[in-house]
Amino acid sequence: MTDIAIVDYGMGNLRSVSKALEHVAPTASIVVTSDPAVVEKASRVVVPGQGAMPNCIHELTVRGLKEVVLEAAKNKPFLGICLGLQMLFEESEEGNMKGLGILPGKVRHFLREAMIDADGNKLKVPHMGWNQVYQTSRHPLWNDIANDARFYFVHSYYVETVTPEITAAYTLYPTSFTCAIAKDNIFAVQFHPEKSHLAGLTLLSNFAKWEPSSSH
Amino acid sequence: MGLAKRIIPCLDVNNGRVVKGVNFVSLRDAGDPVEIARRYDEQGADELVFLDITASSDNRDLILHIVEEVAAQVFIPLTVGGGVRRVEDVRRLLNAGADKVSVNTSAVLNPQLIEEAASHYGSQCIVVAIDAKQIRNEQHNDSRWEVFTHGGRKATGLDAIEWAKKMQALGAGEILLTSMDRDGTRHGFDLALTRAISDAIDLPVIASGGVGNLDHLVDGILQGHADAVLAASIFHYGQHTIQEAKQYLAKYGIEVRL
């Protein structure tokens, strides 16, 4: 049986996600798959994704993966990365697209007029590079990761939650946005742990071992 | 408290070896790409850039194997460029483990390539490399920067600032800006050029060309407004480690990932 299924719906480079997971969980069976049956049987599911949200929802749907992803989000250790975080919400400003609607909230574009730092310098979009992640809740996936550790980001949209209790971390650019959420068996991040050196590898290693309890 | 400025070592790869030339002549061997990539990763490099300068098409696939090998051991973003002509080339490099693909000459010959590649794979993985050279107009006593292609050999007539704006409009996610006047000179970045482009667009700009000491990196960020600074020879030959460079930047109040 597959320990970790990385859902391949044709959006971007999944090789780095699988390589990083293989590195931290060398004995686990890890597959990159677009087969709904494999995702359904896997004990853990990772939904990565880069590119545009409308394409992403479209590709998930036509490949018959939407149902198994929704199902996995109900009962298995589930890790969303980048678009894999954004798609969990109700809707996105990117192409005015409906998301999977598992979590209440919206995906918004960085507001151009607000992109100025404290010294008056222009901030670029996409938000690209290493920024600090401030944890707001204790969670097994944060084990052994410093509370202001830097992770690698590359995105122009961010999630705006309406239920602040699901926020697991925030980042400043220049104002604060939710960069990680946690709810029951779901953990999802805006940054790329697979590209975030030791902090990222630690998070992936924590995910590979994570046993979500119903009480969390 | 915010986004860190990035330090990016650049590895020019020729026939599977890292080399460093001065103005594209007298290539000097600097070592094995996988070994060098691992060393920079350990020193805290924020990203790595590989530019394949292999002339012979027979040895083109060497870079794919190198990228595969590096991507299995180094968990920071990898940008790969050189000889990217079609969307298919972008796909092959991404599948080998590149996170971003850098396009230079082909973006000028076929700007649609940028639009197509960005819509297929997302802007986040499309870097447009611009090689610019200052052109003086003695009559008007002013100057502009012109885009050059084919490793700096061919003038295009394109204004570098307008070109950067056009690439942003077509979907590029980042600009890798090299001053042809400074490349290999160790006299520092062309700060006016870097600043002009960085201020004209919303995309992050990586400054490249001319780094000879750590002050040049500081200047590129503080005066050139670069979001990232790229250098090769000061790191390849052990003059400085990445960590030293970062600590130096931090002394000037520049935010870095230490």
Side-chain angles (χ1 to χ4, degrees), chain A residues 51-57 82-83 85-101 103 105-110 156-160 190:
Chain A
M53 176 90 154
N55 295 348
C56 139
I57 298 289
C82 197
L83 281 183
L85 161 73
Q86 297 181 4
M87 71 165 70
L88 300 176
F89 288 80
E90 291 165 311
E91 56 183 312
S92 173
E93 286 183 351
E94 190 172 14
N96 282 317
M97 192 69 195
K98 286 257 174 288
L100 297 179
L103 300 170
K106 265 189 185 176
V107 180
R108 291 194 181 280
H109 194 273
F110 282 117
S156 301
Y157 293 81
Y158 63 95
V159 299
E160 190 181 78
Q190 181 59 65

Side-chain angles (χ1 to χ4, degrees), chain A residues 8 11 14 22-23 36 59 65 67 124 128 138 143 148 156 159 167 171 178 192 202 208-209:
Chain A
D8 178 7
M11 298 295 288
L14 308 186
E22 283 164 24
H23 189 81
E59 292 295 327
L65 287 161
E67 287 71 28
K124 305 300 184 71
M128 183 187 284
R138 286 178 65 87
N143 283 353
D148 56 356
S156 301
V159 299
T167 294
T171 288
T178 294
H192 290 271
T202 305
K209 291 181 291 209

